[in-house]
Amino acid sequence: MTSLRRVLVVSLCSVIVLVSAVSAGFSYRDGVIEANELFDAKLAHSARVLMGLVDDALAGDDIASRAGPLLINVWKSSREGRGDELVSPQGHAYETKLAFQVWDDQHRLRLRSDSSPDQALAAFHPGFSEPQIGGERWRVFTLRSPAGLWYQSGEVHAIRDEMAEDIARGTLVPLLIEVPLVVLMVWLIVSWGLRALARVTHDIQQRTVDRLAPIDAARAPREIASTVHAVNHLMARLDAALSRERRFTADAAHELRTPLAALQVHAENLQHASSPEQRRESSAFVQQGIARLSRLVEQLLELSRLDPGAAPREFASVSLAAVVKQVLEEQAVASVARDVELAYEAPQGAVPVCGDELLLGLLVRNLVDNAVRYTPAGGHVLIRLGSDRGATELVVEDSGPGIDTEARERVFARFHRELGTGQPGSGLGLSIVRQVAEIHRAIVTLDRSPDLGGLRVRVHFRSPGSGC
C-alpha cells in the first residue's frame, strides 16, 4: 500500500535536491567564468604595468647591448593550504606561479622573472593563449609595445583549477549539509499537514456498524472536505437502508408469526382429528395457511427486489398491453374459481411504456390479484388501458366494497390491512404497486369506480420519450 506521507516527502525532497543541484551547477559555472575573467584581467593588467615601467628602458641602447636578459627575482612562498593560509605580510603564495617575459622584435629575451622558463611562454601573437610548458598547461597574455617589444605574462593553469575546486566545494558542501535538514523539515511539515487526515481516518476506524453519525468536517482540510462529505452521505444512506431493513424485518417477523401459529394449530388438529370430517376441515385450513404463507413470502421477495439498494435497472420501451394480457392469463383460473368476471379494454397496438417489464408485470399482477380477491362472487373486474398525448394510463376497477376516502393513503403502507374486509392478506399488494410506480415515475390514485361501485385504481405513466 502506497504511503501518502512517503510519496510527498520523497517527491518534495527530490525536487528540492534537484533544483538545488541545478542551481549549484549554474553557480559553479558562473563562478568559474568570473574567476577566469578576473585572472585574465590580472594577466593583461600585469603585462601593461610591466610595459609601462620598463618599455622605455628596454628600448634604450644601454640595456639592449647587454649580453643576456635581465633577471627579476620573484618572491617565493612556502605556504600551502587554501584561502587565508596562503596570505602573508610579504604577499600571496600564488605569486610563485606567476611569470613574465620581455622579447624584442628579433625574438631575443630581454627580461624575465626567475619563475618563467627560458623559452617563450607563447607564440608572438597578441592576445591570450594556453600553451603546454614543461608538461603543465599555462595561461599566457601577449602584448606588443609601440617600441616593438613583446610582453608576455602567464601563470600555471593549476591556480585556476584550485580556484574551481574551491568554488565547487563552496557550492556542493552547503548542498550536502542541507539535504538531511531538508528531508527532516519536509517530513515534519508533511506530518503536520496530514494530522487532519489522520484524525479523520482514526474517526472512521473507530466507527462501528451501529454508529453511523456523520463525521465532523469542520476541522478537515479543504482538500479532503469533499471526501468527508461523500463518506457522510454514504453513511446516511447506509443508516437509512439499515433502518429500512430493521423495520422490514420486524414487520415481516410480526406478519409471519400469526399465519405460522395458525398453521401449527391446524396441523395439530389434523394430526389429532378423530373423524373424516374433522380431517377434511383441518386439511383445508392447512392448505389455506400454506397458500397464505406462500403468498406472503412471495410478496416479501418482491419487496426485496424493489429495495433502493438493488441492482440498477435499465429501462426500455415495454408493451404494457402485452404485460396485461400475460397477467390476465395467469389470473384466469383464480377468477373462475372465485366466480369473478374479468373484462379487458385496450386500444389497438402495443401501448408502449418506458420501464422494466418484470416490475411492470409485478404492478399489474398485484392490482388484478387485489381486485379479484376483494370482489365478491358473481362480481366484475375491469382492466382498461388508455393513451393520451403519448402518456399511458392503466385503470383497474372492481365491484368490491372499495376503500373509504380517509383510508386511501393508509393502504399504501406496508402490512396495513383495513378491518372488516373479510379477506386474508398481508397488506403488501398496494405497497408494492406504489413502489413500482415510483420507480417508473408514475402516479397512482385511488377513488370509487363510477360504473362498478368498488375501488378504481389509476396508474398514470409518463411518455416513453427518446431515452428508452
Side-chain angles (χ1 to χ4, degrees):
M1 184 180 295
T2 303
S3 170
L4 181 59
R5 179 184 287 104
R6 184 179 297 108
V7 170
L8 290 175
V9 171
V10 172
S11 302
L12 291 175
C13 291
S14 300
V15 171
I16 292 174
V17 171
L18 178 61
V19 172
S20 299
V22 172
S23 177
F26 280 107
S27 299
Y28 169 75
R29 186 197 65 175
D30 293 341
V32 170
I33 291 175
E34 291 294 331
N36 286 329
E37 290 177 352
L38 290 175
F39 276 114
D40 288 344
K42 182 197 67 175
L43 286 179
H45 180 71
S46 299
R48 295 185 188 280
V49 169
L50 181 61
M51 181 183 69
L53 292 175
V54 303
D55 191 61
D56 292 338
L58 290 177
D61 294 336
D62 53 341
I63 297 179
S65 62
R66 291 175 58 90
L70 292 175
L71 184 64
I72 305 299
N73 293 322
V74 177
W75 173 73
K76 297 178 176 60
S77 174
S78 60
R79 290 176 175 267
E80 295 181 356
R82 297 183 181 277
D84 293 339
E85 298 175 352
L86 302 176
V87 179
S88 68
Q90 291 78 27
H92 197 282
Y94 280 174
E95 293 182 40
T96 306
K97 299 181 180 181
L98 299 177
F100 55 85
Q101 296 175 342
V102 181
W103 300 78
D104 59 17
D105 55 356
Q106 297 180 2
H107 297 175
R108 291 178 299 180
L109 183 61
R110 304 292 298 276
L111 182 146
R112 74 178 180 87
S113 64
D114 60 354
S115 58
S116 70
D118 294 333
Q119 73 272 24
L121 291 175
F124 296 106
H125 298 290
F128 290 96
S129 59
E130 293 188 359
Q132 289 283 339
I133 302 174
E136 292 183 303
R137 188 160 63 100
W138 285 62
R139 180 72 168 175
V140 179
F141 178 72
T142 302
L143 176 66
R144 188 174 187 182
S145 70
L149 298 178
W150 293 93
Y151 291 84
Q152 293 184 329
S153 59
E155 62 185 358
V156 180
H157 214 284
I159 299 175
R160 303 187 179 212
D161 295 337
E162 292 178 7
M163 180 63 69
E165 292 178 6
D166 291 340
I167 295 174
R169 186 178 295 106
T171 55
L172 292 177
V173 169
L175 177 61
L176 296 177
I177 294 175
E178 76 177 14
V179 166
L181 296 178
V182 167
V183 172
L184 177 61
M185 293 302 297
V186 170
W187 179 271
L188 294 176
I189 293 173
V190 170
S191 299
W192 178 80
L194 293 177
R195 286 187 307 169
L197 181 59
R199 285 197 302 268
V200 173
T201 303
H202 179 73
D203 191 5
I204 295 176
Q205 289 175 343
Q206 297 302 313
R207 295 301 175 102
T208 58
V209 177
D210 56 347
R211 182 170 171 249
L212 297 176
I215 301 170
D216 184 12
R219 299 176 61 188
R222 183 181 306 170
E223 289 75 11
I224 64 170
S226 58
T227 302
V228 173
H229 290 310
V231 172
N232 287 339
H233 183 59
L234 175 62
M235 289 196 296
R237 289 186 296 166
L238 181 60
D239 187 36
L242 291 176
S243 298
R244 286 193 300 269
E245 290 296 330
R246 286 192 291 266
R247 187 166 56 251
F248 176 76
T249 302
D251 292 342
H254 175 75
E255 291 299 321
L256 286 171
R257 187 180 297 114
T258 300
L260 282 174
L263 183 61
Q264 184 178 5
V265 170
H266 294 315
E268 291 177 355
N269 292 338
L270 177 62
Q271 184 179 4
H272 298 95
S274 58
S275 64
E277 291 78 10
Q278 292 179 344
R279 280 194 294 272
R280 282 195 297 271
E281 183 179 2
S282 298
S283 177
F285 283 136
V286 168
Q287 291 177 354
Q288 292 176 4
I290 293 175
R292 181 182 177 187
L293 277 176
S294 299
R295 175 60 178 164
L296 178 58
V297 171
E298 179 184 351
Q299 288 183 315
L300 290 175
L301 292 176
E302 291 172 350
L303 277 176
S304 67
R305 291 167 52 193
L306 299 177
D307 188 81
R313 304 172 180 87
E314 294 185 2
F315 284 0
S317 181
V318 178
S319 172
L320 187 58
V323 173
V324 172
K325 289 178 181 178
Q326 181 179 357
V327 171
L328 292 180
E329 291 175 359
E330 297 172 357
Q331 293 290 329
V333 175
S335 64
V336 170
R338 297 183 63 86
D339 192 19
V340 174
E341 181 183 351
L342 291 178
Y344 173 58
E345 298 177 1
Q348 296 293 328
V351 189
V353 170
C354 182
D356 183 284
E357 184 174 0
L358 193 62
L359 296 184
L360 291 174
L362 192 61
L363 179 144
V364 176
R365 187 178 302 109
N366 276 276
L367 286 178
V368 175
D369 180 75
N370 275 359
V372 172
R373 186 184 300 272
Y374 288 95
T375 299
H380 302 274
V381 173
L382 172 63
I383 299 94
R384 184 170 64 251
L385 284 178
S387 180
D388 182 22
R389 299 179 182 178
T392 300
E393 187 174 61
L394 169 66
V395 180
V396 179
E397 304 179 50
D398 62 62
S399 58
I403 298 176
D404 294 337
T405 304
E406 61 275 8
R408 287 172 186 170
E409 185 61 30
R410 295 197 303 264
V411 295
F412 286 110
R414 289 184 178 182
F415 305 109
H416 177 80
R417 293 191 302 272
E418 286 294 306
L419 298 178
T421 60
Q423 293 294 330
S426 60
L428 292 174
L430 289 178
S431 176
I432 293 174
V433 169
R434 169 165 282 187
Q435 284 190 259
V436 174
E438 289 177 350
I439 291 174
H440 291 79
R441 287 189 287 176
I443 301 174
V444 182
T445 56
L446 306 181
D447 58 7
R448 183 166 295 279
S449 172
D451 299 325
L452 301 181
L455 179 68
R456 179 173 66 174
V457 182
R458 294 189 296 177
V459 184
H460 185 81
F461 294 91
R462 64 185 178 88
S463 173
S466 59
C468 283

